[in-house]
């Protein structure tokens, strides 16, 4: 069933699809439809149409135990889809929106650093995210995920070296 939406032109629909696919690829799964609407700024009809199309292609799924409106993404298939169809600039814009979303979230806790750290690393600009990268590294290290923690600590060291900062600045 095709619903009337604001995405009337094929070019615009492609942009809407790209954005939703990128959000699904970078936001921890499962993701709610509410989160996708807030992140994208698109109407519920547009987001539902895109999610239905992605569901038919088996790129996302809903699971009965989680109920309607909660989507699980097949990240490897989404990455394959975006590999040659999305520019670095489009990805950076989406990453920045996701970071802003989580940074301004009222329910920030130390766990939010585990969400934010990989986003800052993928953005390749730790900058204001250095504290989150360090907190995530500390949490991972305490949780026994030493290799992942080491990767985050290494990224911080590279950032400090490049920007001539001291660890006390984080």
């Amino acid at each position: 069933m095709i619903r009337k939406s604001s995405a009337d032109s094929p070019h615009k629909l492609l942009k809407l699809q790209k954005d939703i696919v990128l959000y699904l690829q970078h936001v921890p799964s499962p993701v709610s439809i509410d989160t996708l609407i807030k992140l994208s700024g698109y109407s519920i009809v547009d987001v539902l149409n895109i999610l239905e199309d992605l569901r038919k292609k088996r790129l996302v799924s809903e699971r009965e135990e989680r109920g309607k409106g909660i989507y699980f993404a097949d990240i490897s298939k989404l990455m394959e889809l975006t590999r040659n169809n999305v520019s670095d600039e489009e990805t950076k814009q989406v990453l920045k929106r996701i970071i802003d979303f989580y940074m301004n979230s009222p329910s920030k806790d130390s766990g939010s650093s585990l969400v934010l750290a990989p986003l800052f690393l993928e953005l390749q600009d730790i900058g204001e995210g250095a504290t989150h990268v360090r907190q995530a590294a500390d949490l991972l290290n305490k949780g026994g995920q030493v290799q992942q923690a080491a990767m985050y600590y290494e990224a911080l060291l590279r950032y400090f070296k490049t920007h001539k900062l001291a660890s006390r600045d984080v």
Side-chain angles (χ1 to χ4, degrees):
M1 173 197 298
I2 303 292
R3 293 180 213 124
K4 197 77 168 146
S5 75
S6 64
D8 293 328
S9 74
H11 186 266
K12 187 172 182 185
L13 183 61
L14 187 59
K15 168 77 171 118
L16 297 172
Q17 287 174 328
K18 280 183 186 181
D19 286 350
I20 297 300
V21 166
L22 285 169
Y23 290 126
L24 288 165
Q25 188 176 328
H26 295 286
V27 172
S29 192
V31 61
S32 74
I33 186 141
D34 294 334
T35 299
L36 291 171
I37 291 167
K38 288 176 187 170
L39 278 168
S40 69
Y42 300 142
S43 76
I44 190 168
V45 172
D46 287 337
V47 175
L48 282 171
N49 282 337
I50 293 165
L51 289 169
E52 181 61 19
D53 184 50
L54 295 173
R55 189 190 61 73
K56 286 177 184 174
K57 294 175 182 173
R58 298 178 189 251
L59 297 171
V60 298
S61 62
E62 289 178 291
R63 298 193 184 145
E64 201 171 294
E65 70 270 10
R66 294 303 290 265
K68 290 279 186 191
I70 305 294
Y71 294 87
F72 292 81
D74 185 327
I75 303 301
S76 61
K77 286 182 182 178
L78 291 175
M79 288 176 72
E80 189 177 310
L81 181 67
T82 59
R83 185 175 303 123
N84 296 318
N85 297 311
V86 176
S87 71
D88 289 343
E89 187 56 37
E90 289 170 311
T91 301
K92 283 182 181 184
Q93 288 174 355
V94 164
L95 289 171
K96 288 177 183 179
R97 284 185 93 174
I98 296 169
I99 288 168
D100 288 344
F101 177 79
Y102 282 105
M103 296 279 282
N104 295 315
S105 173
S107 59
K108 272 196 290 194
D109 58 11
S110 60
S112 67
S113 290
L114 292 172
V115 173
L116 288 165
L119 297 171
F120 279 108
L121 291 179
E122 188 168 347
L123 196 55
Q124 298 178 357
D125 180 16
I126 293 175
E128 67 180 278
T131 300
H132 294 288
V133 174
R134 184 191 50 79
Q135 287 174 349
D138 292 346
L139 288 169
L140 291 166
N141 192 39
K142 288 177 187 170
Q145 296 180 42
V146 179
Q147 266 189 315
Q148 186 73 21
M151 185 183 81
Y152 285 4
Y153 289 131
E154 258 183 59
L156 283 170
L157 290 173
R158 281 192 306 273
Y159 178 74
F160 293 150
K161 183 178 178 181
T162 304
H163 294 84
K164 309 244 186 287
L165 299 172
S167 61
R168 68 181 171 277
D169 295 332
V170 176

